[in-house]
Amino acid sequence: VQGMGLKCSDPGCGATFQSYEASYVETLELDQRNKLGAIIVGKSDGIDMSLVIMARSGISAAAIQRTCHANLTCQHEACKFDFNNRKRYHDQFGTVVENNDFPREYDDRWVAKPDQIIRAFIRDYLTNRDGLNREMASLTSAVAMAIDHQAKPCRRSKSRNAMQTFCVVGDGGLILGFYCVPSDDMQWVEIAMEEIVARHGGDIEKTDDGDYRLKKKGALPDFIYVDKDCCDGKE
């Protein structure tokens, strides 16, 4: 159950009201939620889980909207072609059918909008945070890694504990770690990279002068790219 539909019984009115509420879905068992195959955000329409998975893979909400539009256009044209073929067949043999023209365009409300996709993406993360974090913690990179700080993602943050993000990217743009940090101070980088190194089966130790020495390489990639000017929060 995603929501509830109401319609006025007054013949002169006929007004309808449709409610969508995420709390309805949360009352279902986990396996039933999975069968639903959609994410309900607040009172908005459900967003198909396949679109959320696309957002997880790094595709922008605007690109997902364009994909939805293109796929629905193709499906609409295919249905229209099939409809016209069947109609010609019945006309040829004189079969009496209701003569309705196929809709010229599909209802644009079926296309997921970027704000709906982003809300569904965030809702999915909040619901499945533990599992998604465990999945990310199992990812490794074989050839190279790149690390950098970004200030823009946390521009609207109210907490001083999340002023920047620190991101570790692996082969093909695979996100190995994404952390909210108070600053670009190396103490936060050290905490994140110690886990990344251990995940690859490596081992490092801190020297007396504060640097790190690699004791065991494990499956760590040979190259790690860093921004030499990383990062004063203005870039």
Side-chain angles (χ1 to χ4, degrees):
V1 178
Q2 293 188 39
M4 178 175 59
L6 301 175
K7 182 176 182 180
C8 180
S9 59
D10 186 350
C13 177
T16 60
F17 171 78
Q18 179 70 43
S19 71
Y20 291 92
E21 178 54 56
S23 59
Y24 298 155
V25 178
E26 292 175 351
T27 63
L28 300 175
E29 297 294 334
L30 184 60
D31 62 329
Q32 293 176 315
R33 292 187 221 172
N34 294 333
K35 290 178 182 178
L36 177 62
I39 298 295
I40 313 297
V41 185
K43 297 181 180 180
S44 68
D45 294 334
I47 299 299
D48 191 88
M49 195 62 199
S50 62
L51 304 186
V52 176
I53 293 175
M54 291 173 67
R56 284 185 190 175
S57 65
I59 303 175
S60 69
I64 294 174
Q65 180 190 26
R66 292 193 295 269
T67 301
C68 290
H69 187 278
N71 290 340
L72 286 172
T73 299
C74 291
Q75 185 178 6
H76 179 270
E77 292 300 316
C79 292
K80 181 179 179 180
F81 179 79
D82 183 62
F83 173 87
N84 289 332
N85 280 344
R86 291 173 178 271
K87 186 171 181 297
R88 281 194 296 267
Y89 173 82
H90 289 296
D91 290 343
Q92 179 181 355
F93 291 96
T95 306
V96 178
V97 295
E98 186 177 358
N99 187 15
N100 289 326
D101 293 330
F102 195 81
R104 295 182 60 184
E105 296 181 356
Y106 62 85
D107 193 337
D108 190 57
R109 290 179 298 176
W110 291 105
V111 178
K113 306 301 187 294
D115 60 321
Q116 297 172 327
I117 296 169
I118 292 173
R119 287 200 302 268
F121 174 74
I122 295 174
R123 177 72 186 210
D124 169 66
Y125 173 73
L126 294 176
T127 303
N128 303 294
R129 175 172 11 199
D130 292 341
L132 292 172
N133 286 342
R134 285 195 296 270
E135 180 181 340
M136 180 182 290
S138 68
L139 302 176
T140 58
S141 185
V143 179
M145 288 191 299
I147 62 175
D148 198 5
H149 288 86
Q150 304 85 26
K152 289 182 179 179
C154 293
R155 180 178 295 174
R156 298 178 182 273
S157 173
K158 295 181 180 180
S159 171
R160 303 297 296 180
N161 294 326
M163 299 301 293
Q164 296 192 27
T165 58
F166 174 65
C167 187
V168 184
V169 181
D171 299 335
L174 183 68
I175 303 297
L176 301 178
F178 191 81
Y179 314 90
C180 290
V181 294
S183 68
D184 60 356
D185 191 276
M186 282 301 297
Q187 64 174 312
W188 313 114
V189 175
E190 291 171 0
I191 294 173
M193 291 307 297
E194 284 174 355
E195 188 278 322
I196 294 289
V197 170
R199 184 191 309 179
H200 286 77
D203 187 19
I204 55 177
E205 66 176 0
K206 199 167 187 177
T207 61
D208 294 335
D209 56 5
D211 294 329
Y212 279 88
R213 181 174 67 87
L214 185 64
K215 294 176 58 179
K216 178 182 176 183
K217 184 175 184 297
L220 281 168
D222 293 327
F223 304 98
I224 299 180
Y225 297 92
V226 299
D227 184 348
K228 65 182 180 64
D229 297 323
C230 181
C231 185
D232 62 2
K234 299 179 181 178
E235 299 179 2

